[in-house]
Amino acid sequence: GESVGLHLPTLSVQEGDNSIINCAYSNSASDYFIWYKQESGKGPQFIIDIRSNMDKRQGQRVTVLLNKTVKHLSLQIAATQPGDSAVYFCAESFTSGTYKYIFGTGTRLKVLA
Amino acid sequence: GAGVSQSPSNKVTEKGKDVELRCDPISGHTALYWYRQSLGQGLEFLIYFQGNSAPDKSGLPSDRFSAERTGGSVSTLTIQRTQQEDSAVYLCASSLAGQGRGYTFGSGTRLTVV
């Protein structure tokens, strides 16, 4: 969903369920993407990345899917835990390994006990 | 240090005053970045330092904003004549040049202009 004003889109998930967080990126020339997790009062933390020559990459409990046709990125979290509660950002860059990233507005994930 | 350190963690200032925000990057990281995060918004690029190269200042919103990096390590972001719209969290990050796996962020400085 789109953020409006001060309100981040929020995804509420039951503990143990899988979470899917979506991101629409802006530039079809972007070739490198990162997902970040930001807990309250902390800076964003790297979760997983993917290059444009891939459409799927898996990490520990996380999977990133890339659909270049519709400029869409998703983050799947398996067996969501309370510690996964945070704001999740996607970031894109135009040249692999470049320093400048464009960040999305973020999605707040709430894990319900 | 073990991580990126920013100070102060919180700063409240009166409109019109100047503020300085400090960033200590991870030792050995040659690249340093400043981003701004307004409430409920994404991260906005401000400035980038890489080694001895000229910094990329293309994200600085006005000439009231400036930054420097001394000795290739510590960086200071200065905001002159602060305005209420400058209120935000200012995040610093560092990385190894060419690492290509993103940055390591500090915890940020929350600036409130009253």
Side-chain angles (χ1 to χ4, degrees), chain A residues 53-90:
Chain A
N53 60 351
M54 303 172 69
D55 53 20
K56 179 179 179 179
R57 187 156 190 241
Q58 288 185 293
Q60 185 177 13
R61 278 202 311 119
V62 294
T63 300
V64 55
L65 299 177
L66 174 62
N67 185 330
K68 295 182 287 294
T69 303
V70 294
K71 294 191 291 184
H72 184 267
L73 200 63
S74 69
L75 177 70
Q76 299 179 359
I77 304 173
T80 312
Q81 301 170 0
D84 295 328
S85 293
V87 176
Y88 290 81
F89 293 95
C90 66

Side-chain angles (χ1 to χ4, degrees), chain A:
Chain A
E2 295 293 326
S3 63
V4 179
L6 302 180
H7 301 289
L8 287 173
T10 298
L11 174 66
S12 295
V13 176
Q14 205 69 34
E15 182 179 354
D17 287 351
N18 296 335
S19 304
I20 300 176
I21 301 171
N22 297 305
C23 175
Y25 63 91
S26 60
N27 192 325
S28 57
S30 293
D31 61 0
Y32 181 63
F33 307 87
I34 300 177
W35 278 100
Y36 283 93
K37 171 185 180 183
Q38 186 175 26
E39 296 174 278
S40 181
K42 297 183 180 180
Q45 179 183 14
F46 173 93
I47 302 175
I48 191 168
D49 59 355
I50 189 168
R51 298 192 184 279
S52 59
N53 60 351
M54 303 172 69
D55 53 20
K56 179 179 179 179
R57 187 156 190 241
Q58 288 185 293
Q60 185 177 13
R61 278 202 311 119
V62 294
T63 300
V64 55
L65 299 177
L66 174 62
N67 185 330
K68 295 182 287 294
T69 303
V70 294
K71 294 191 291 184
H72 184 267
L73 200 63
S74 69
L75 177 70
Q76 299 179 359
I77 304 173
T80 312
Q81 301 170 0
D84 295 328
S85 293
V87 176
Y88 290 81
F89 293 95
C90 66
E92 61 181 299
S93 67
F94 305 147
T95 305
S96 295
T98 193
Y99 59 85
K100 192 183 297 185
Y101 295 91
I102 306 297
F103 285 81
T105 52
T107 297
R108 184 180 305 280
L109 176 65
K110 288 186 176 179
V111 181
L112 308 173

Side-chain angles (χ1 to χ4, degrees), chain B residues 85-102:
Chain B
E85 61 263 28
D86 299 335
S87 296
V89 175
Y90 289 82
L91 289 161
C92 176
S94 69
S95 74
L96 290 168
Q99 184 181 37
R101 284 178 60 85

